[in-house]
Amino acid sequence: LDCDATREERYVTVQAEKAAWEEELTNWTHEKDAYSLDMIEEQKKEPGNYLHPRQVLRELEKAMPEDVMVSTDIGNINSVANSYLRFEKPRSFFAAMSFG
């Protein structure tokens, strides 16, 4: 097949894109729009520790066992969780996606 001639090149490109996306997710600990930044600053004034949902998802991903199953509610959380959570086994992520 013609595509076999560029297999290694495509593999390297895909790996680089995946690595760049993982780095972006790791550095994207919260939304960066003006409203979210205001809310984060306001939250800092309240007692207790606050984690942004993106931070929670990153920490959840680190703590998940290999055979985990996760279900999300409808809304933005299911699409954001889809970016952060990684699964080793099929049928591990249950989300409403666009059916909400």
Side-chain angles (χ1 to χ4, degrees):
L1 298 174
D2 287 342
C3 64
D4 286 341
T6 60
R7 177 179 289 183
E8 188 62 33
E9 179 184 338
R10 287 181 289 119
Y11 177 79
V12 169
T13 300
V14 168
Q15 293 305 104
E17 288 294 323
K18 283 184 173 186
W21 177 239
E22 286 299 320
E23 183 177 344
E24 184 175 340
L25 289 176
T26 297
N27 294 326
W28 193 0
T29 57
H30 58 74
E31 305 304 329
K32 299 172 195 266
D33 59 281
Y35 174 79
S36 295
L37 294 175
D38 286 346
M39 292 297 99
I40 290 167
E41 287 305 311
E42 190 173 308
Q43 180 67 33
K44 287 179 181 177
K45 299 173 191 170
E46 296 184 16
N49 295 323
Y50 171 78
L51 287 175
H52 188 278
R54 290 181 182 275
Q55 292 171 293
V56 172
L57 287 167
R58 187 50 100 191
E59 294 304 315
L60 176 63
E61 179 195 31
K62 292 176 189 175
M64 292 186 323
E66 184 179 326
D67 61 347
V68 70
M69 295 174 121
V70 175
S71 177
T72 60
D73 199 355
I74 61 172
N76 290 345
I77 189 61
N78 66 42
S79 59
V80 175
N82 191 42
S83 293
Y84 281 87
L85 303 180
R86 304 289 182 270
F87 300 93
E88 297 299 321
K89 296 183 178 179
R91 298 185 178 119
S92 297
F93 184 49
F94 305 94
M97 302 309 279
S98 63
F99 299 115

